[in-house]
Amino acid sequence: MTDNSTGRRTTAGGVLGAATVAMGLIAGVFYIFACDVMPSLARSDDRIFIEVMQNINDVIQNPVFFLSFMGALVLTAISAWQLRGAGELRWWVWAALAAYALTFLFTVAVNIPLNNDLANAGDLAKIADPAAVRAKFEDTWVAWNVVRALLSTLALACLARALVLYGRLGGARGAGSLEPAAGARVGR
């Protein structure tokens, strides 16, 4: 915690830092799926692809993932509210919030329904046409995951920039007025 210009205690820097870490974790998840998991699964036959994706979609529903997935959104929103009067700094946090809100929306509107459809295909041994099940899932899921990876990485970059500016401005003390800390230079 740092003192701001009015002498009140603030947690803005801690929340901004936590939002950045949570965003990094989520951006990393989408990135690794785009760069490794899905290209690796693309080499698999239809039944293996379906089985692995059903397992991934089941296992990823855990408290640790949800904490990061929801935490990135909630912490970024809290940070945007805390830094709402912080001039240039606030725009970086708001940009991050907008980018991640889109990521979240695409996840809920596209990827999760596809995951549910794959789960609803049922027991792998009872799927009559695994190629059709895979075809209905794979290309759309992969394309929207790339969008999620790009947007969440953009959100991470915006939060990282905000964190750098926050530090250069002397934390909450300078964030409200955007006056640099003594001896600090802020590039625009």
Side-chain angles (χ1 to χ4, degrees):
M1 289 209 228
T2 60
D3 287 325
N4 66 18
S5 59
T6 63
R8 292 179 301 181
R9 303 292 277 177
T10 180
T11 58
V15 172
L16 179 57
T20 306
V21 169
M23 194 67 70
L25 292 170
I26 291 304
V29 168
F30 296 143
Y31 173 82
I32 197 66
F33 267 89
C35 292
D36 184 42
V37 174
M38 298 313 288
S40 295
L41 282 176
R43 296 178 172 188
S44 302
D45 73 33
D46 298 332
R47 290 192 182 279
I48 290 173
F49 178 92
I50 293 168
E51 179 182 19
V52 171
M53 282 307 300
Q54 284 178 334
N55 287 336
I56 288 171
N57 293 333
D58 184 47
V59 171
I60 203 161
Q61 296 181 50
N62 66 71
V64 175
F65 176 76
F66 283 128
L67 185 62
S68 301
F69 183 67
M70 295 301 296
L73 182 65
V74 171
L75 290 168
T76 302
I78 291 169
S79 185
W81 180 80
Q82 287 178 324
L83 297 170
R84 67 193 177 280
E88 177 188 5
L89 176 59
R90 75 173 170 210
W91 297 115
W92 289 102
V93 180
W94 280 102
L97 182 58
Y100 191 65
L102 286 172
T103 304
F104 192 89
L105 176 67
F106 296 146
T107 299
V108 171
V110 179
N111 292 84
I112 290 175
L114 288 170
N115 292 346
N116 292 340
D117 288 348
L118 195 63
N120 292 336
D123 182 9
L124 187 59
K126 296 178 183 176
I127 296 175
D129 188 359
V133 171
R134 179 181 182 166
K136 185 177 173 189
F137 175 88
E138 186 175 18
D139 290 342
T140 304
W141 196 98
V142 168
W144 283 101
N145 183 67
V146 170
V147 171
R148 296 185 309 167
L150 292 171
L151 285 170
S152 60
T153 301
L154 174 63
L156 175 60
C158 290
L159 287 175
R161 177 67 178 152
L163 201 54
V164 168
L165 285 175
Y166 186 87
R168 286 184 182 169
L169 297 171
R173 179 183 53 71
S177 64
L178 273 189
E179 293 297 323
R185 290 182 49 186
V186 178
R188 297 213 191 244

